[in-house]
Amino acid sequence: ITLPISGCASQLILSGNPYPSALDADAFLLDPANAATLSGTIYLWTHNTPITNNNYSGGDYAIYNYLGGTVGGEPTSIATNPGLNTSLPNGKIASGQGFFIKGLSSGVATFKNSMRIAGNNNQFFRMSSNVASTTTPEKNRYWLDIFNTQGAFKQVLVGYVDDATLGLDRLYDGEMVDIGSVITFYTLASDTKLTIQGRPTFTETDEVPLGFKSTLAGSYTIHLSMFDGLFETQNVYLEDT
């Protein structure tokens, strides 16, 4: 199944899983047929934050690429809409699930039966409540959250993978979505603001530029919310410059 990708390069395209079974996002992103036309990052709308003054929250996009995923919207706030999905994307796109992905050039997005998987069809991001084979590299990751007591929230992911670089990598770097959110939170690579950043093999002297912007004055907390791999024993330090 193919979906035309037209218009300007780097244009966000609304797509979705066309099959009556789950779709392996890694297989979809890794397929050579999609490498030239699609970025390596998928944006899933959650609508976890109630509409305020007819405005949606741009922070409500859950984001996924080959490095991992970040949640959309504040996962613990009392302001969160009830019954919505605040799960970390697991890379298994449910049947009928829509998503945005950035177009790199004109062409087509290609979906194949080999990308379909049995089961794994229960993570659906919405407003109410032959198997692909991929080799997964070792990932060492940590997730940082920023939030306040009024429900503003944003999450970033930093991970270390052997075949990532300090530049922009299609499969491992996911650009931040900024559409007027109360708060933005990001890392930097090549002057690009990222929600997900992949970096090469970890060294203890590695420093990751981190930034945020808020339209609401007040106090914010930065929290190390999750970690895996070598970060089970490796400290992470935040330097206020």
Side-chain angles (χ1 to χ4, degrees):
I1 298 175
T2 58
L3 171 72
I5 304 297
S6 59
C8 301
S10 299
Q11 177 175 314
L12 280 171
I13 306 298
L14 179 59
S15 183
N17 177 5
Y19 297 116
S21 61
L23 182 78
D24 187 327
D26 290 344
F28 174 71
L29 297 173
L30 287 169
D31 196 285
N34 293 321
T37 55
L38 299 176
S39 77
T41 302
I42 289 171
Y43 300 86
L44 300 146
W45 178 248
T46 67
H47 193 52
N48 286 323
T49 305
I51 299 173
T52 302
N53 298 324
N54 294 319
N55 291 320
Y56 294 96
S57 171
D60 276 4
Y61 281 101
I63 302 175
Y64 181 85
N65 67 17
Y66 198 47
L67 185 64
T70 58
V71 300
E74 167 61 82
T76 58
S77 170
I78 58 174
T80 300
N81 284 340
L84 300 183
N85 198 320
T86 55
S87 301
L88 197 70
N90 61 12
K92 316 302 180 187
I93 303 175
S95 176
Q97 171 70 62
F99 59 86
F100 281 100
I101 190 166
K102 185 170 289 187
L104 299 177
S105 62
S106 295
V108 296
T110 302
F111 299 86
K112 299 178 179 179
N113 275 318
S114 59
M115 301 172 184
R116 299 171 66 179
I117 48 177
N120 298 286
N121 207 24
N122 59 349
Q123 191 178 62
F124 201 86
F125 294 82
R126 57 181 177 179
M127 289 188 60
S128 59
S129 311
N130 302 314
V131 179
S133 176
T134 59
T135 301
T136 303
E138 180 182 359
K139 302 171 185 177
N140 304 284
R141 304 172 293 186
Y142 59 86
W143 287 257
L144 296 175
D145 302 344
I146 190 169
F147 57 89
N148 64 8
T149 56
Q150 287 75 49
F153 174 87
K154 196 73 175 70
Q155 184 177 82
V156 298
L157 164 61
V158 177
Y160 296 82
V161 187
D162 286 345
D163 53 349
T165 71
L166 292 178
L168 294 176
D169 303 304
R170 172 182 171 268
L171 292 175
Y172 298 119
D173 295 313
E175 291 187 38
M176 180 192 71
V177 174
D178 185 4
I179 52 173
S181 304
V182 170
I183 189 169
T184 58
F185 190 42
Y186 53 87
T187 63
L188 285 169
S190 302
D191 295 324
T192 300
K193 297 178 181 179
L194 302 174
T195 296
I196 302 175
Q197 182 175 165
R199 298 174 73 83
T201 303
F202 176 76
T203 63
E204 289 190 344
T205 57
D206 189 55
E207 296 182 358
V208 182
L210 186 69
F212 82 98
K213 178 184 72 174
S214 176
T215 61
L216 183 66
S219 298
Y220 291 85
T221 298
I222 296 178
H223 174 57
L224 177 66
S225 58
M226 293 180 290
F227 46 86
D228 62 15
L230 64 86
F231 292 105
E232 297 285 350
T233 56
Q234 171 65 48
N235 290 336
V236 176
Y237 299 94
L238 180 67
E239 179 185 8
D240 183 358
T241 60

